[in-house]
Amino acid sequence: IPLLRRALAMSKRPLLLFASPWTAPAWMKSNRDVRGKGTLKGKAGDKYHKTWANYFIKFLDEYAKRNVTFWAVTAQNEPLAGLFTPPQAPTIAFTAAQQRDFIAQDLGPALARSPHRTRLLMLDDQRIHLPHWAKVVLGNATAARYVAGLAVHWYLDAIVPPGCSLEATYKLFPDHFLLYTEACTGFFMFR
């Protein structure tokens, strides 16, 4: 929080912050560990999913008490990486259908009821998952009304041309923006 405050104070224009979760607490996950290939226990609409959605609101509440607000949150950082990550990485695995249902039944309504003006971004994973992921989530009218845009990572961009992923997604869902949210150098060790 002190670093965020310093950055906000130094900026000549407002900074738009977004947050993206890596994992839920161990007691909420199928593998009972913050690390590894676990999912949220149960299914959308149940106590685990509602509680996880409320964690988002509590996070926003606590930062707001310290005068730090978030422009957006993502439903999950790299939800499909949860199926492939090393066992020590903190993550939650979601399929597109699971993320759709979590957004439609739990996270979307929780954000809408909250006092926060925070937007919701979906996917937050590789563009290789587009446009399929968008079709599943945004193809559902209930989920789509809660989602402002799609968060995209760049690591596998060389595999899928932008016309097949980004452009195709934009043509299907022009009212939802596409935003690159994660990239780094040194990801590929051989480069």
Side-chain angles (χ1 to χ4, degrees), residues 51-84:
T51 300
W52 183 229
N54 287 331
Y55 264 71
F56 282 74
I57 306 309
K58 293 284 258 177
F59 168 86
L60 295 169
D61 290 345
E62 292 304 313
Y63 273 84
K65 287 178 188 175
R66 290 151 181 88
N67 296 317
V68 176
T69 59
F70 286 83
W71 166 74
V73 293
T74 72
Q76 174 61 37
N77 180 63
E78 295 189 353
L80 282 178
L83 301 174
F84 308 108

Side-chain angles (χ1 to χ4, degrees), residues 14-182:
L15 294 179
L16 300 177
L17 303 175
F18 81 94
S20 186
W22 280 59
T23 187
W27 67 270
M28 297 175 76
K29 288 182 59 188
S30 61
N31 65 344
R32 296 188 176 142
D33 194 335
V34 295
R35 301 161 298 172
K37 299 174 172 112
T39 60
L40 281 178
K41 289 180 182 176
K43 60 183 182 173
D46 71 9
K47 66 179 181 178
Y48 296 104
H49 287 70
K50 297 251 180 265
T51 300
W52 183 229
N54 287 331
Y55 264 71
F56 282 74
I57 306 309
K58 293 284 258 177
F59 168 86
L60 295 169
D61 290 345
E62 292 304 313
Y63 273 84
K65 287 178 188 175
R66 290 151 181 88
N67 296 317
V68 176
T69 59
F70 286 83
W71 166 74
V73 293
T74 72
Q76 174 61 37
N77 180 63
E78 295 189 353
L80 282 178
L83 301 174
F84 308 108
T85 57
Q88 296 305 311
T91 188
I92 303 174
F94 275 99
T95 64
Q98 289 168 326
Q99 189 173 84
R100 174 200 60 214
D101 296 345
F102 175 58
I103 288 170
Q105 296 180 44
D106 305 298
L107 184 55
L111 280 170
R113 285 189 308 269
S114 81
H116 306 287
R117 308 300 298 160
T118 306
R119 296 174 182 214
L120 178 58
L121 307 182
M122 56 164 276
L123 184 59
D124 208 16
D125 210 331
Q126 314 308 317
R127 80 175 189 206
I128 197 170
H129 305 305
L130 295 174
H132 168 73
W133 201 279
K135 287 178 183 178
V136 172
V137 177
L138 298 178
N140 177 284
T142 303
R145 82 168 178 252
Y146 294 119
V147 175
L150 291 83
V152 183
H153 297 185
W154 75 279
Y155 305 108
L156 302 176
D157 280 2
I159 297 172
V160 177
C164 296
S165 55
L166 300 175
E167 187 176 349
T169 302
Y170 177 74
K171 284 180 179 178
L172 289 168
F173 304 102
D175 295 333
H176 292 83
F177 61 84
L178 294 142
L179 177 68
Y180 270 93
T181 56
E182 185 178 318

